Amino acid sequence: EGDVTGAAAAAGAAWVMVYALRALGGPAGQLVVSCAQEPTREELVVLRILVQQTSLALTTARLRRGERTAVRERGTASPGENDRLAAVVADLQRRREAHERLAAAVAAETGEAGIAAEVHRLTGLPVAVEDAFGGLRAWAGPGRPENPVRTVRRRRTALLDEACRSPRPVRDRDRLVAVARPRDEVLGVLALVDPEGRAGEYETFVLQHGALMLTVELSHQRNLAETELRLRRDLVDDLLAGTDAVGARARAEALGHDLTSPHRVLVLRWPAEDGLVRAVEHATRATLGTTALLARHPDGVVLVAPEPEESNGRCPWEELHRAVTDRVRGDGGAIGVGAVCRDPAGLARSYQEARRALTVRLGSGRPSGVTRYEDLGIYRVLTVDGDDGEVRGYVREWLGSLLDYDTTSGSELVRTVWQYLEQGGNYDATARALVIHRSTLRYRLRRIREISGHDLGAVDTRLNLHVAARAWHLMHGVV
């Protein structure tokens, strides 16, 4: 009932939704839509737009009905009453013109700036458009603040609550405020800057109607953003799974992305995931000069990025890492970069390579940073996921006795072998890496020879132990 939107039930219909209609003055009825099956996401977006357009049409009908009623009454009224009705007709005509001009501003696709400019022209007062948190999105008229100061969050919340409850704009110090609210969520705020209290009934009407138009505009922007984000995510998912090149390029072109140039897949993971997708979007635009094709996956944010034409000796992926770090305000992030591919069909392989590079980076002594697949060396031939039975058997063959000893005694002989060989057999460097004394290292190496039976001085033995130790390190992520 009233101003409520929600699901309903009806005989013979699998899906029924009741949409509340709002016009100036409050609720204007309900639009009931039924369907034999649940609509798609695209169809739901269209439905929401139709609901908003219906609300605007009802507002127009109310204004015209009031105007016609006043004209009819003038024919039977006394001279004094005629003067009053003439004023009413003039006011209704003025309001209808304001409605049509605001509707034209929305139709012209000039965004919230166009709505603010029209409200300013109609009222003569400065106009501000803000987001729900108080950030300035647009301004029309004189006196635009150079450094807008946001209202304290608690006071802002109280203001929005009051504005949502009130059927008319509310006074906030030197401003008159109305909210853009399609249902329960506030999308934005439209405010008249009126320190002298000049705003009368007509200005209040224009503000209120401007907020209604702002609701339509911001809802439209959100619907477009959500649709584009979903389309980008679906395209990325298909590219990673493997899809035809012609179809992929056509879909990418519709989203404003050129897949005809060489691309790579990157997988990004940060300790703080809040805002990571938006940070990657902005960082990609800043460092690569292009929009992002990305999606959030369980293993991190996946980015399909074009290969930069010129690097000027700099690593673009290191710059991307720094840019993301600056935006999420947290270090410790890692990026795995797959090999470059010149055809969309190769992106599925690049994705697996990026995952492997990320695994190696996270398992290294410095997990924060960038690792490219081309730089993995021996790690490129070590299987780290899927069917890695052969690798595990190889590790067991060369390190099995040491692994068993470490398990039963709590020692670190395998880690010692790995660091010793990683450091090229250098005692001092190995001791520093393990944070132990040289004498302790000598004791451990003697125990390794005794337990394993391997001669660490033999070239073939050292090679096989080194490969096995690297495989163990990669699979277990031990630093």
Side-chain angles (χ1 to χ4, degrees), residues 267 269 299 334-336 353-363:
V267 182
R269 190 182 300 175
D299 50 4
I335 302 178
E353 294 166 348
R355 292 179 61 199
R356 181 172 300 184
L358 178 65
T359 300
V360 173
R361 165 58 65 175
L362 293 174

Side-chain angles (χ1 to χ4, degrees), residues 51-232:
V51 169
Q52 293 163 355
Q53 296 296 333
T54 303
S55 295
L56 293 178
L58 288 173
T59 295
T60 302
R62 284 186 176 183
L63 291 170
R64 290 187 178 276
R65 185 170 60 247
E67 189 177 335
R68 287 195 299 268
T69 300
V71 169
R72 284 198 304 269
E73 290 178 355
R74 286 185 64 186
T76 58
S78 63
E81 190 68 14
N82 260 333
D83 292 341
R84 185 187 67 81
L85 289 173
V88 171
V89 171
D91 182 62
L92 287 171
Q93 289 175 339
R94 192 182 180 200
R95 294 183 182 217
R96 178 169 56 81
E97 290 170 1
H99 161 75
E100 292 172 352
R101 288 173 61 176
L102 286 167
V106 174
E109 298 183 354
T110 53
E112 56 259 45
I115 295 173
E118 195 59 57
V119 172
H120 169 62
R121 282 193 286 267
L122 290 167
T123 64
L125 295 170
V127 179
V129 178
E130 300 170 345
D131 60 30
F133 309 102
L136 185 63
R137 294 175 62 99
W139 182 278
R144 180 187 178 108
E146 293 184 4
N147 298 303
V149 179
R150 295 200 181 200
T151 308
V152 176
R153 183 178 300 177
R154 184 179 301 175
R155 185 172 178 275
R156 180 75 177 182
T157 301
L159 171 64
L160 296 183
D161 288 344
E162 181 186 359
C164 289
R165 290 193 304 268
S166 174
R168 294 169 55 84
V170 298
R171 173 66 60 172
D172 177 36
R173 297 180 180 174
D174 63 346
R175 309 192 314 165
L176 203 58
V177 172
V179 293
R181 180 173 64 107
R183 290 190 293 276
D184 296 331
E185 181 184 8
V186 175
L187 297 182
V189 169
L190 187 67
L192 287 179
V193 181
D194 183 30
E196 299 175 1
R198 291 167 42 199
E201 284 297 320
Y202 172 72
E203 288 75 17
T204 301
F205 167 85
V206 172
L207 175 62
Q208 194 170 4
H209 198 59
L212 185 61
M213 294 299 180
L214 184 62
T215 301
V216 174
E217 174 63 27
L218 295 181
S219 296
H220 179 62
Q221 290 181 16
R222 170 167 289 192
N223 289 336
L224 287 178
E226 290 176 351
T227 300
E228 182 174 339
L229 181 62
R230 187 180 69 255
L231 291 174
R232 288 179 183 275

